[in-house]
Amino acid sequence: MTKETSSRWQGWRAAAEAALYGPDGFYRRPEGPAGHFRTSVHASPLFAAAVAGLLCRVDEALDRPGSLAFVDMAAGRGELVGGVLAALPAEVAARTRAYAVEIADRPEGLDDRIEWLAEPPRGVTGLLFANEWLDNVPVDVAEVDSAGVPRRVLVRQDGAERLGEPVGGAEAEWLARWWPLPAEEGMRAEIGLPRDEAWAAAVSSLARGLAVAVDYAHTRDARPPFGTLTGFRAGRETAPVPDGSCDITAHVALDACAARGSARTLSGARLLPQREALRALGVAGARPPLALASTQPAAYVRALASAGEAAELTAPGGLGDFGWLLQPVGIPDVLPDVLVD
């Protein structure tokens, strides 16, 4: 790191892009994301099994094509795609082409059936699943100055910030539509336009099927007044410092992503909390009957552990509050049994 690099002021989007995905970036580290934070994939194999169930529903909606794609966006070290393949019925697994989309190198020992790519394949038919991908698509940050004007926040590699030029053009239009800031000094927003564009591009890679984004999320009626930009290192939340030492993340305006994706596909999108989506896919946190403890104690212990994992995945105030954006492409709704007030 040169003195010139460390002292340079730039927008958060450019700074985070280099810190996360540059040659020495956070996501190129050998330990992978699992070394720093716990996602639903790492919490329980029930999550991969539920995604496998969703892929089976998509398969039925597609009339069981000869080649069924499963595309795992931001695949980490392939934990989800490997778990999905293991959970599929044999007949479906035999027709499934599995793709892991990730900038890091392919890990050793990964299932040979999984194709490792830097970009999603084009023109495939099946399920594209993006678990905690969009929150790591870097975005710029806006902050309102003393005159009530939203300005771009500039940052140095050591995390120091200052205000730059006023936000203008398409970014200003995005803020006005999706995250209007009051003219109050210090109010902040993450400008989600790059995420909308990234999501629309991912959705457009499907010829037919379903695209799903799962992430920390908020909607226009409940945007956080000071934004959500933060960092994670070794399992703990920390200050977001764009030097490659920590994850840099911010919650996702999934409603804006849904609108951009729908414009590309001409299909309706749905936003669901994870707890409702997973329950529809058979993940329930109910305690097993106590009678099982005396008749089949080993089965009771397994069922109790599974119930605990299901409860974590669906817990209000935790993983259960994650947002699911479901974007169908040329197929009907595959979770019609989920009703959300």
Side-chain angles (χ1 to χ4, degrees):
M1 179 178 68
T2 67
K3 182 177 180 181
E4 180 182 357
T5 299
S6 63
S7 62
R8 183 177 61 188
W9 294 97
Q10 55 187 333
W12 265 107
R13 182 183 181 188
E17 183 74 34
L20 295 178
Y21 306 116
D24 299 316
F26 177 82
Y27 277 98
R28 296 188 185 275
R29 297 166 70 125
E31 70 271 20
H36 294 272
F37 49 85
R38 178 180 172 87
T39 71
S40 297
V41 178
H42 308 123
S44 170
L46 293 174
F47 188 80
V51 177
L54 181 62
L55 179 58
C56 288
R57 292 196 183 201
V58 172
D59 184 43
E60 292 178 8
L62 292 166
D63 296 324
R64 298 178 177 83
S67 178
L68 177 69
F70 177 69
V71 182
D72 182 9
M73 295 292 298
R77 298 302 178 264
E79 299 95 335
L80 177 60
V81 63
V84 168
L85 283 176
L88 286 173
E91 188 277 328
V92 179
R95 292 184 286 108
T96 297
R97 290 197 63 181
Y99 304 91
V101 181
E102 177 59 61
I103 64 159
D105 293 337
R106 181 188 182 99
E108 294 183 4
L110 190 69
D111 192 318
D112 291 338
R113 293 176 293 173
I114 300 169
E115 189 171 348
W116 197 262
L117 301 173
E119 299 287 341
R122 306 291 304 178
V124 297
T125 297
L127 173 62
L128 179 145
F129 200 89
N131 186 61
E132 295 195 47
W133 167 51
L134 288 173
D135 68 300
N136 287 128
V137 173
V139 293
D140 275 314
V141 177
E143 181 176 321
V144 178
D145 67 12
S146 59
V149 177
R151 292 181 175 272
R152 191 182 313 276
V153 176
L154 305 181
V155 64
R156 285 192 320 216
Q157 200 170 42
D158 62 2
E161 292 182 336
R162 74 180 188 190
L163 296 187
E165 72 282 2
V167 178
E171 292 181 328
E173 294 173 4
W174 189 94
L175 283 177
R177 180 179 180 186
W178 293 111
W179 199 329
L181 287 167
E184 181 179 341
E185 186 176 6
M187 297 292 100
R188 288 172 68 126
E190 290 98 33
I191 306 171
L193 183 60
R195 292 171 172 175
D196 297 356
E197 294 171 343
W199 177 244
V203 172
S204 70
S205 71
L206 287 175
R208 290 180 67 218
L210 177 69
V212 179
V214 181
D215 236 310
Y216 297 99
H218 46 62
T219 54
R220 193 180 187 279
D221 58 351
R223 303 285 191 223
F226 300 105
T228 61
L229 186 72
T230 191
F232 283 93
R233 182 190 299 115
R236 296 180 180 274
E237 190 169 8
T238 185
V241 178
D243 61 359
S245 68
C246 67
D247 184 30
I248 297 173
T249 179
H251 293 198
V252 182
L254 278 182
D255 48 350
C257 294
R260 179 62 68 91
S262 293
R264 287 283 186 92
T265 65
L266 302 179
S267 300
R270 297 185 72 190
L271 291 173
L272 305 173
Q274 173 158 296
R275 58 182 171 275
E276 299 299 338
L278 289 183
R279 285 169 183 163
L281 293 167
V283 178
R287 185 185 182 96
L290 284 174
L292 189 65
S294 57
T295 59
Q296 301 180 57
Y300 176 78
V301 170
R302 290 193 298 270
L304 192 63
S306 180
E309 293 172 2
E312 180 182 2
L313 289 172
T314 58
L319 295 175
D321 286 347
F322 269 53
W324 279 45
L325 165 56
L326 289 86
Q327 193 95 54
V329 181
I331 65 170
D333 186 358
V334 298
L335 292 180
D337 41 339
V338 181
L339 300 175
V340 179
D341 294 336

